[in-house]
Structures are given as structure tokens and as C-alpha cells.
Amino acid sequence: MTAAPAHAVVGQPVNDSFAFTAKLDIAGERSCSAALIAPQWLATAASCFTDNPGQSPKLPEGAGKAVTAIIGRPDLTHDAGTTANVIELVPREDRDLVLAKLDKTVTNITPANLPANTLLEGQDVWVSGYGRTKDEWVPDKLHYAKFTTNALKTTTVGLTAKTDGAAICQGDTGGPAFRDVGGRFELIGVNSRSWQGGCQGTDAKETRTNAINARTDDITTWIQSVTAPPQPLRGKDWKKATNLVPGYFTGGSPGNNRRMDLFVTWEDGTASLFQGADSKNPQNPFTAEHKLPGKSWFYAKSVAAGNFTGSGTDGLVVRWKTGQVTSFAHVDQNGFSKEEELKPASAWWADNVMEMTVGRYTGNAQRDDLLIRWKDGSFALHTDIGANGLKREVQLMKANSAATSIVQMTSGEFTGKETADLLVRWKNGSASIYRGVSATKPFEDELKVRPETSAWRFTQGLAAGAFVDNTRPDDVLVRWEDGNLSLYPTVDASGTHAEVELLK
């Protein structure tokens, strides 16, 4: 009564909708199937990688055997999809399941989803695989069939064929079982064992077509913890961050997949560049940290980013402790280029400039206008600094005692005006957006977006950028006094909305 390892579905050939199904070649010794569950991860059966698949499925964590995966190629005679190598295996100890990491990110195939709800007996599911059929030893097309769940246990679920003549055969160990929830394919298990009735090479006396799958529906948290993209924000002491500066440094532009990066200077004078993500997940806005060369950032008092050259990537403008102001035309993961002096060292600029921010405050489309808040509460705007340096200054506000209660400010585009908005945080914890700031309309339209005594009285830094949808810089990154980080996606005229805790 012992079932053999399962290895492919006798059913209908080819379905592009199930392109997340992968074919595995394991050291040229055997073939299995798998499911793409994240851009760089497959779920499959641990028994695929053991020396004797009919024995214990347990295997050590690591790279394992040489494995090649073909993903997104329902017809193997074509060249569609992606071919990748497996570089890491992370087994689940309590069931015949392993997560396999690929050596490249799969970008052209939608992964199978993890279930929103746990499995029930009697549910219809699809099973897909590349293995043996009733009349083919090595088919070149993906096959699929419908099954029904039964015998639901802690780590396994039984499957009974619902499609006439369907069975799970050799070649499909690790292949996915998934349910269709309104067009959303949810992985509920991977093929582990079957009796293979009707499969080519099976004794004709064997007529059983039922199978056993290793469940995945009940361990979504574990799967996510393994497959989640790296969290480059973690492991840093954010209380020691001195400047948070959003910009398009490593690639990307408004409307493209790549989100804004974050340039950070630290108390010890080093600098980091956190690369923006390609996904819209607000919990993972960055994918990697690039440590930039040099240790001179200890002397940087204020840093802002903008597009000063029209080249498509951003640069920096920096006010140093001496009052000198310089600009870098280009910044990326390799460092800085083309530094130019905009203003020589000046005691006045060293002592009296409180903050700088760059935004789109004139009629052109570039973020290249420098807004300065002075110690006496006055504001000045230097327009088109890429072309003009600091030679074209417009006073937006004269000395104002009320404005001296501003603690932090950042430029963003929250309200859809022709020019950028200015977000400010006051000493009492409240926050305001000044809509559409420009040389002709400075600070005329104030919107209160945080009340007095709000939690924002504990912020140590604000940075507005395009960290989620990437249509415009309307997401606000907050650094708190305790070193934690939060993101407020899609801030607009009605407020800051939900908080996403990036570090807590």
C-alpha cells in the first residue's frame, strides 16, 4: 500500500495560464516539477533531491545537486520563459517540501500566489507537471488535470482525480496543486506520492489514481520569511542617520518600475545608497544597500537631491559645515562625479541656514529648484540651480517668528498642483502641506495633515519620495527618535493615511 514518489500529470497538454510551473533537471539523473512562488524562488518536493526518492525526503539545507530549472515554457520545444540554476535549498523539516532559490530573478512570469485561507476537504484543485503520461515517457508539453482534496492532515492532503483518466505519474514530484479563486491561482501543495494508475510503465493491475501532496497552505508565513526580498534597512542604527535624501540615482524615473532610491549620510561620515525596489510593496521599498566610497560626509550639514542636468538621473546639492555649497551632477552605486562649487565657504551660510530641500517650484518639469529655510523664519528659492547655480534668488517669506517653530521640511507632490508642495513639521507635532509653492504663490494655501501633539512630534527626519506607485513623490518616509522607520504611502490633501512600519 506504499505509494511511489509522484512524477507527472496525465491530463490535458499546455496551458499558458499555468506558466509558473517549472521543469527541473537534477544533475542529469532525474526530472521533477516545481512552482514559481516568488521572483527568485521555487517550491518543490524535498524527495527530488535525495539519493533514493522512495526513502526519507529529508535533506540538508544548502545548494544540493546541480539543478537546472525551466520556468514559463509550457511547450518545451519553444524558447519561451526563463532558464535558471538552483543555488540554494531550504527544506521544510516536517514535510516533503523544499524551497529552491534561483541564480536569477524571473521577471516575465507571474508566480503562483500563496493562499489567503487554509485548505478544506472537498475543494477542487488543479495539478500540473511535465512528467510521464499514459503514452509518453518524456513529454515535451506541460500537462494539467483537475483533482479534489480529501484526507486533510497536518502536513499532507490527499488528492482524487476528477478529470477522467487523470493521474499523477513519474516526472512530477514537486509539481504544484493549486486552486483557482477568481483567476487567482493559490498554491496549496506540491506533489509528493501517488499510485500512478494508468501511467506508462505502471503495472496494468494498478488502477489507483489518487495521490498525496505536501501542504503549503498552512505555512505561508514560513514561506514568506524565506522568499521575501532582502531587507537592507535592517541591521543599521538609524539613530545615527544624519540626512535622508530620496532621488533617482541607480536608475528609474517617474512612471517606470524602479522606485526612488534613498541616499543616507551617517554620523561617522560614511554614506549609503538604498536602491529602490521594482515592486509596489510598501513594506519593501528598497532592495539593496550600496556603501559609497569616501568618509567626507561627516562635514555635510544639509543635503538635497534633484535633477540638475536633465540627464534622467539625479545629483546632490550639499551645504558643508563651513557654509560652502557644492553640487554633484551624478550619483550612483559607484560613487559621485563632477563636483562643482556653487558658493564658497561662508560663516553666514554655515550658521543661519536651517534646512534645504529641492523640488519642482517653477514652470519646467525638472526637480531643480532649491528652497532654503533660514534661522529667522525667512524662506528663499533658488530656481533652476543646474543652469543658474545660486545666482537667481527669490525671497518667498521675510523673517517670520512663527516659521521658526518649523522643525523639519521636505518637498513633495501631494496635491496635484502645477508646482511642488512643501510639507513641514511643527514643534507641537502638527504638520502642514503648503500647496503649489512657487515664486508667485508662496505659502498661500495651507492644509493641516497632522494634528497638534501627534506622534510626529517624535520624528527626527522626513523624506518625501516615490517609494510605492512611482507616479510622483507623494510617499513620506519618517525616521523616529528611537531609530525606527515608517512609511506613509500616498499622502494627499486629506492627510497622511495609514502608517507602514518598516522597522520597529
Side-chain angles (χ1 to χ4, degrees):
M1 298 295 291
T2 301
H7 289 283
V9 178
V10 174
Q12 302 174 21
V14 185
N15 189 323
D16 288 343
S17 299
F18 305 157
F20 52 78
T21 309
K23 179 179 175 65
L24 302 181
D25 181 293
I26 302 170
E29 299 171 357
R30 68 174 73 101
S31 295
C32 281
S33 297
L36 185 73
I37 55 170
Q40 205 173 350
W41 288 88
L42 303 174
T44 187
S47 53
C48 285
F49 302 93
T50 58
D51 292 333
N52 188 340
Q55 297 179 356
S56 170
K58 290 188 176 182
L59 74 162
E61 186 171 338
K65 299 175 181 290
V67 181
T68 301
I70 300 174
I71 312 104
R73 192 177 300 171
D75 186 340
L76 296 175
T77 64
H78 296 167
D79 295 328
T82 298
T83 300
N85 296 317
V86 172
I87 57 173
E88 182 181 356
L89 296 175
V90 181
R92 175 75 182 192
E93 295 297 331
D94 63 347
R95 64 196 72 188
D96 186 12
L97 175 70
V98 67
L99 304 183
K101 187 176 183 180
L102 304 174
D103 65 351
K104 65 178 68 172
T105 299
V106 179
T107 59
N108 56 349
I109 299 151
T110 302
N113 295 284
L114 297 180
N117 300 297
T118 53
L119 192 61
L120 299 174
E121 290 191 10
Q123 291 186 323
D124 288 345
V125 298
W126 293 98
V127 177
S128 57
Y130 285 93
R132 192 178 300 182
T133 69
K134 63 181 179 181
D135 52 15
E136 294 179 287
W137 282 96
V138 185
D140 55 17
K141 291 181 173 64
L142 175 70
H143 285 72
Y144 64 97
K146 186 171 284 188
F147 286 73
T148 301
T149 60
N150 58 63
L152 187 62
K153 297 183 179 180
T154 303
T155 61
T156 63
V157 58
L159 299 181
T160 299
K162 192 168 184 178
T163 303
D164 289 342
I168 295 176
C169 308
Q170 288 191 0
D172 198 35
T173 298
F178 50 94
R179 59 190 176 197
D180 183 350
V181 183
R184 172 187 165 91
F185 299 126
E186 296 185 340
L187 183 74
I188 60 92
V190 298
N191 301 326
S192 178
R193 292 169 287 159
S194 75
W195 279 263
Q196 305 182 56
C199 301
Q200 190 171 69
T202 300
D203 192 324
K205 296 179 182 179
E206 179 58 77
T207 61
R208 292 172 294 178
T209 59
N210 51 317
I212 298 172
N213 265 224
R215 290 178 63 180
T216 58
D217 64 291
D218 62 320
I219 54 170
T220 57
T221 300
W222 176 77
I223 293 173
Q224 289 170 334
S225 70
V226 174
T227 63
Q231 295 282 354
L233 300 180
R234 300 189 184 280
K236 311 289 293 186
D237 186 355
W238 286 90
K239 288 185 289 187
K240 295 182 179 180
T242 53
N243 289 281
L244 307 177
V245 188
Y248 294 106
F249 303 112
T250 66
S253 60
N256 290 341
N257 288 338
R258 176 75 65 83
R259 313 296 176 233
M260 268 190 176
D261 310 309
L262 185 70
F263 175 77
V264 181
T265 62
W266 306 94
E267 286 183 358
D268 64 358
T270 60
S272 300
L273 191 56
F274 292 87
Q275 183 172 310
D278 291 332
S279 74
K280 295 184 179 181
N281 184 354
Q283 294 181 327
N284 297 296
F286 308 106
T287 60
E289 178 191 5
H290 304 286
K291 295 181 179 180
L292 301 184
K295 280 184 173 286
S296 63
W297 293 96
F298 174 79
Y299 300 100
K301 291 285 288 184
S302 304
V303 186
N307 191 314
F308 307 124
T309 64
S311 64
T313 57
D314 286 352
L316 296 175
V317 57
V318 185
R319 179 179 65 97
W320 303 94
K321 288 184 177 181
T322 62
Q324 182 193 33
V325 181
T326 65
S327 67
F328 295 88
H330 179 74
V331 179
D332 62 18
Q333 57 268 40
N334 299 313
F336 314 91
S337 64
K338 199 177 179 182
E339 183 179 13
E340 293 185 359
E341 184 180 75
L342 302 182
K343 190 172 190 64
S346 162
W348 178 258
W349 275 65
D351 298 334
N352 290 281
V353 172
M354 300 303 293
E355 262 186 304
M356 305 188 314
T357 185
V358 169
R360 187 178 52 84
Y361 293 116
T362 58
N364 66 40
Q366 284 183 214
R367 294 170 25 258
D368 61 354
D369 306 308
L370 179 68
L371 194 154
I372 295 175
R373 178 170 65 90
W374 294 89
K375 188 175 182 179
D376 62 3
S378 62
F379 285 80
L381 181 65
H382 293 266
T383 60
D384 304 330
I385 65 170
N388 303 317
L390 299 179
K391 298 175 182 177
R392 293 181 60 180
E393 179 181 3
V394 178
Q395 188 176 55
L396 299 184
M397 180 185 290
K398 295 181 179 180
N400 185 311
S401 60
T404 60
S405 295
I406 293 174
V407 179
Q408 290 137 12
M409 69 180 190
T410 184
S411 296
E413 299 185 21
F414 312 110
T415 65
K417 294 293 185 179
E418 293 182 358
T419 52
D421 309 309
L422 183 70
L423 173 65
V424 303
R425 198 268 282 182
W426 304 88
K427 287 181 180 178
N428 61 11
S430 66
S432 303
I433 289 175
Y434 290 94
R435 296 200 289 188
V437 173
S438 70
T440 59
K441 187 183 176 183
F443 312 120
E444 292 180 7
D445 194 359
E446 179 185 8
L447 299 171
K448 288 286 188 180
V449 292
R450 300 287 297 187
E452 292 185 13
T453 70
S454 79
W456 275 34
R457 65 187 184 276
F458 301 114
T459 64
Q460 286 294 300
L462 300 176
F467 301 125
V468 183
D469 284 332
N470 197 29
T471 53
R472 61 191 191 193
D474 61 356
D475 311 307
V476 178
L477 184 73
V478 172
R479 179 175 75 88
W480 303 97
E481 285 182 354
D482 60 6
N484 291 332
L485 297 177
S486 293
L487 183 65
Y488 291 84
T490 319
V491 174
D492 58 23
S494 60
T496 53
H497 308 299
E499 174 190 0
V500 177
E501 293 181 319
L502 303 179
L503 292 176
K504 56 182 180 179

